[in-house]
Amino acid sequence: MTLRDRVALGMSLPHRSPDPLALTTIAAVARRAEELGFGHLFVQHHLFYPHEVVSGYSARPGLAVPEAYRSVLQPLELLGVVAGWTSEIVLGTSILVAGYHRPVDLAQRFLTMHALTGGRFSAGVGAGSTKADYDACGLNFDDRFKMLRDGTRIQLELYANLKVERIQLGATSLKYERDRNTVYVDFP
């Protein structure tokens, strides 16, 4: 067994650009990466390009958001399309900001990607680092690590109990019933 058989090299798709993105370019890169034997294709998650620097980029005050982020496609939707252009390469997020999403919805979206890609999906989540994005979503930037931790815990609990019969989402808890047992998971 060679090192290439044991180590998968991945690359980022060219899904960010100051100009409108051409899907033909993304398709060509995805297909070529698969032909060359890359193991993974990744996309990043960014929401907005601020016209004025408010909080800085990557949690660094005063640092402007890179010009390349003027146009960024949504990661899961893009990877769903890329799955149709490829057949073997693993598709993933690096990273998807978990705090922008409800944990149960995100779990379902990840499971959908797993199904659409034939098991070739890898989810990378993180807390994010741009306060302006959190502000635009009406979320507290200082809570981002707690949202990541709690959301990930909820998702892992759901994945461990895939025979979910019914889910109810309340203001402060998730309730699901499985095999006649009711489980509550609290979150903020």
Side-chain angles (χ1 to χ4, degrees), residues 151-162 164 174 176 178 183-185:
T152 302
R153 183 178 46 80
I154 290 168
Q155 288 180 37
L156 291 173
E157 180 70 21
L158 285 170
Y159 298 146
N161 297 285
L162 287 178
V164 175
L174 165 74
Y176 64 92
R178 178 182 180 267
V183 179
Y184 292 88
V185 180

Side-chain angles (χ1 to χ4, degrees), residues 1-186:
M1 178 179 280
T2 67
L3 183 60
R4 183 174 175 173
D5 295 327
R6 292 180 284 158
V7 177
L9 183 62
M11 65 176 282
S12 181
L13 279 171
H15 67 295
R16 342 178 270 282
S17 169
D19 300 316
L21 295 167
L23 287 179
T24 55
T25 300
I26 296 172
V29 169
R31 289 179 180 128
R32 185 67 176 142
E34 188 167 66
E35 289 170 8
L36 292 172
F38 279 84
H40 298 81
L41 287 173
F42 295 105
V43 294
Q44 295 176 350
H45 187 206
H46 294 277
L47 291 182
F48 305 105
Y49 185 87
H51 293 284
E52 297 176 23
V53 177
V54 177
S55 61
Y57 172 69
S58 193
R60 291 178 272 183
L63 183 63
V65 176
E67 191 71 17
Y69 293 110
R70 278 197 178 272
S71 177
V72 177
L73 299 172
Q74 280 293 320
L76 297 179
E77 289 82 347
L78 175 58
L79 290 176
V81 173
V82 173
W85 296 330
T86 60
S87 60
E88 296 179 16
I89 198 164
V90 174
L91 308 174
T93 57
S94 72
I95 57 140
L96 187 134
V97 181
Y100 302 160
H101 306 274
R102 302 287 284 181
V104 175
D105 177 60
L106 194 55
Q108 182 183 26
R109 294 176 76 201
F110 286 167
L111 290 171
T112 299
M113 286 302 303
H114 179 77
L116 292 176
T117 63
R120 297 183 294 129
F121 177 68
S122 177
V125 295
S129 61
T130 306
K131 185 177 183 309
D133 287 352
Y134 273 85
D135 291 346
C137 290
L139 299 169
N140 185 340
F141 180 71
D142 294 332
D143 291 340
R144 67 192 185 279
F145 293 106
K146 182 178 183 339
M147 286 187 282
L148 173 63
R149 183 186 65 241
D150 293 348
T152 302
R153 183 178 46 80
I154 290 168
Q155 288 180 37
L156 291 173
E157 180 70 21
L158 285 170
Y159 298 146
N161 297 285
L162 287 178
K163 293 182 180 179
V164 175
E165 296 171 11
R166 187 179 68 181
I167 295 176
Q168 292 178 325
L169 188 59
T172 59
S173 67
L174 165 74
K175 171 186 173 184
Y176 64 92
E177 295 180 9
R178 178 182 180 267
D179 300 332
R180 297 193 174 112
N181 295 316
T182 301
V183 179
Y184 292 88
V185 180
D186 295 322

